[in-house]
Amino acid sequence: MSGMLFLLLALLLCILDLAKKLDITRGGFLAFYLAFMSHLPFFLIYLWVNPFHCPFPFNRISLLLLITGAVIWQLYSTLRLHILPFRKNESGSIRIGVLYGGQLLVKAGIWGMLLLVVYYGACFSFFPGFLHGLGIHYLIFDVVYSLIFVWLFLINGSIRILCTCRRLGILKRLIICLTLWIPPVNIYFTYYMCRVAKDEYALETFRAFSNECRKESYTCATRYPVIMVHGIGFRDLKYFNYWGRMPKVLSCNGATVYYGHQKAWGTIEENAALMKESIEHILRETGAKKVNIIAHSKGGLDSRYMITKLGMEDKVASLTTISTPHRGSRLIDFLNGLPDGIYRLIAHMLDKSFQMVGDENPDCYHSSKQLAPAYCVEFNSRVPDCKGIYYQSYASVMKNMFSDSLLSIPYLLMRFLDTPENDGLVSVDSAKWGTYKGVFQNKKRRGISHGDMIDLKREDYNGFDVIEEYIKIVEELKEMGY
């Protein structure tokens, strides 16, 4: 009878959890699970072999029913924890649910390890006679099984975090993978992974809440369509968006988003002509009279030329430039110091590479030369701003060479060339144009790089939310009537 009751209880708990009437991954259920389930096979085998040691009156049938119930409960609860450790995902993202579940599994593994230490410490301290009477084979089996049982939580949780967390760069992932097996170093990195995962979940939950609040207000529903114009060395590709997550979020908040569709290595004049065609097509398609342009890096120069030189001043309401080298980049001066033959060879290799992915007639040599400070001085004198268009600009700053591994060397070169405040490619002074709105940076040691401003790595950083910043930019344009 006792065995049947235990079996029915196990089945009832499984059914209630499936029906979401209780959550076995929370509170006392999880504590009980971690404390006893890692030793369950040992207890069951020992009871089956030595039924007379059982504190309750079990016959063989009752004991078999008890074992069946215990096995069902452990299989269900273990699979449930490893597959779906987290139900109440308020972020609305499957990735974030997997990530947060990963940190819960890592924590469960850590608590499991601590409970093992307490368990074996108590056994050896208070019940040494019992352990000696068991036989070494029982003890070895229990130790091996319980360690594997707990380590599976740590491994599963770590894999989840390493595969889904956007805040962990390639270098950090590599360091974690190499040190995760080295105690006590792994204690720090497991704690670090959990903290990062928890922060990312909190951020995504806040974003989901903010987007839900903005849903009906169409915060980014500007009067005119938004045209996003990329910088040098990139194209508007369908499956790898230059602007990361921003276009989707802006669209979800009411913005009508299009792209400039200029070349990756086109000159300012070539790209301006292509942008003019794109914008005229957009105006015909939407029926709008003007557009708002948000341009990054060299895209700002392409846009300015198009507006002033190609007769588009009456079709553009505003131009927002982000990290645009309006006064050139000192990095080009450094590259100009190379022998011209080497410069042309590098440019030719880049041209060939981009031709393979569909860029027509790329001209890396001349398009990059147009970012030299001397050229930009001449460019600014012959491409003045047009009246009636709102020009505004933003800059960003890296705080050290470790802020962005992709731009470490360019950042150091810029520092060497006496431009300490730079984002790896463009200085703050060079990025200022029109109404200067300020510099993007965070309070942490990292800073914000040239690539961070277009969500290049799709990562989130403490103290800076690039997606929210773009929403604010478009929201302000809307409030100004653009």
Side-chain angles (χ1 to χ4, degrees), residues 194-209:
C194 290
R195 187 187 67 187
V196 169
K198 191 173 182 179
D199 288 346
E200 187 165 345
Y201 173 77
L203 175 62
E204 291 296 334
T205 301
F206 171 76
R207 281 178 180 165
F209 174 76

Side-chain angles (χ1 to χ4, degrees), residues 33-43 74 82 108-120 123-124 138-154:
Y33 175 87
L34 292 173
F36 296 101
M37 289 297 127
S38 60
H39 307 286
L40 183 64
F42 162 73
F43 292 140
Q74 183 174 41
H82 279 282
I110 293 173
W111 279 109
M113 292 295 291
L114 292 175
L115 287 171
L116 287 182
V117 173
V118 173
Y119 172 81
Y120 288 115
C123 286
F124 280 104
Y138 280 121
L139 186 59
I140 292 175
F141 169 78
D142 184 55
V143 171
V144 172
Y145 178 87
S146 58
L147 285 174
I148 293 174
F149 181 88
V150 171
W151 268 102
L152 285 175
F153 284 102
L154 292 170

Side-chain angles (χ1 to χ4, degrees), residues 98-114:
V98 173
L99 173 66
Y100 194 74
Q103 70 97 18
L104 292 177
L105 288 172
V106 170
K107 286 183 178 179
I110 293 173
W111 279 109
M113 292 295 291
L114 292 175

Side-chain angles (χ1 to χ4, degrees), residues 56-314:
F56 303 103
F58 283 105
N59 56 34
R60 284 292 184 181
I61 295 177
S62 293
L63 193 56
L64 184 61
L65 291 173
L66 183 147
I67 292 173
T68 303
V71 170
I72 290 173
W73 172 248
Q74 183 174 41
L75 285 175
Y76 173 79
S77 55
T78 301
L79 288 173
R80 162 81 159 79
L81 279 164
H82 279 282
I83 296 173
L84 190 64
F86 180 55
R87 273 182 178 166
K88 297 181 180 180
N89 183 7
E90 298 176 352
S91 70
S93 167
I94 295 175
R95 178 186 69 85
I96 292 299
V98 173
L99 173 66
Y100 194 74
Q103 70 97 18
L104 292 177
L105 288 172
V106 170
K107 286 183 178 179
I110 293 173
W111 279 109
M113 292 295 291
L114 292 175
L115 287 171
L116 287 182
V117 173
V118 173
Y119 172 81
Y120 288 115
C123 286
F124 280 104
S125 299
F126 301 107
F127 308 103
F130 173 73
L131 290 177
H132 289 305
L134 284 178
I136 191 65
H137 54 286
Y138 280 121
L139 186 59
I140 292 175
F141 169 78
D142 184 55
V143 171
V144 172
Y145 178 87
S146 58
L147 285 174
I148 293 174
F149 181 88
V150 171
W151 268 102
L152 285 175
F153 284 102
L154 292 170
I155 293 171
N156 185 4
S158 299
I159 290 174
R160 283 169 174 256
I161 295 173
L162 291 172
C163 292
T164 59
C165 185
R166 285 177 174 163
R167 292 195 174 194
L168 294 176
I170 296 175
L171 181 59
K172 289 181 180 178
R173 293 176 206 268
L174 181 61
I175 293 174
I176 290 171
C177 288
L178 293 176
T179 58
L180 204 57
W181 316 98
I182 308 173
V185 178
N186 53 5
I187 296 175
Y188 168 77
F189 283 107
T190 50
Y191 167 76
Y192 176 77
M193 283 196 302
C194 290
R195 187 187 67 187
V196 169
K198 191 173 182 179
D199 288 346
E200 187 165 345
Y201 173 77
L203 175 62
E204 291 296 334
T205 301
F206 171 76
R207 281 178 180 165
F209 174 76
S210 299
N211 288 334
E212 189 64 28
C213 293
R214 291 190 292 245
K215 197 172 184 180
E216 299 299 327
S217 63
Y218 294 100
T219 302
C220 298
T222 52
R223 180 181 180 185
Y224 305 116
V226 174
I227 314 299
M228 306 192 80
V229 180
H230 67 69
I232 197 168
F234 288 88
R235 298 179 63 214
D236 290 315
L237 300 175
K238 182 178 180 180
Y239 296 107
F240 182 78
N241 196 299
Y242 178 85
W243 297 92
R245 297 165 286 175
M246 264 87 76
K248 182 179 179 180
V249 174
L250 292 176
S251 297
C252 289
N253 284 283
T256 304
V257 179
Y258 291 90
Y259 303 101
H261 291 297
Q262 72 273 39
K263 295 180 180 179
W265 294 103
T267 61
I268 292 175
E269 295 77 11
E270 289 175 316
N271 282 349
L274 291 173
M275 285 175 55
K276 179 181 179 179
E277 292 179 10
S278 297
I279 291 175
E280 288 177 338
H281 173 75
I282 292 166
L283 293 177
R284 289 193 299 269
E285 180 182 304
T286 61
K289 294 182 179 180
K290 296 182 179 182
V291 298
N292 295 302
I293 298 176
I294 297 178
H296 178 251
S297 195
K298 178 177 171 288
L301 301 181
D302 298 341
S303 301
R304 285 177 52 203
Y305 187 91
M306 179 201 68
I307 293 169
T308 303
K309 293 296 186 179
L310 301 185
M312 295 292 285
E313 63 273 11
D314 60 338

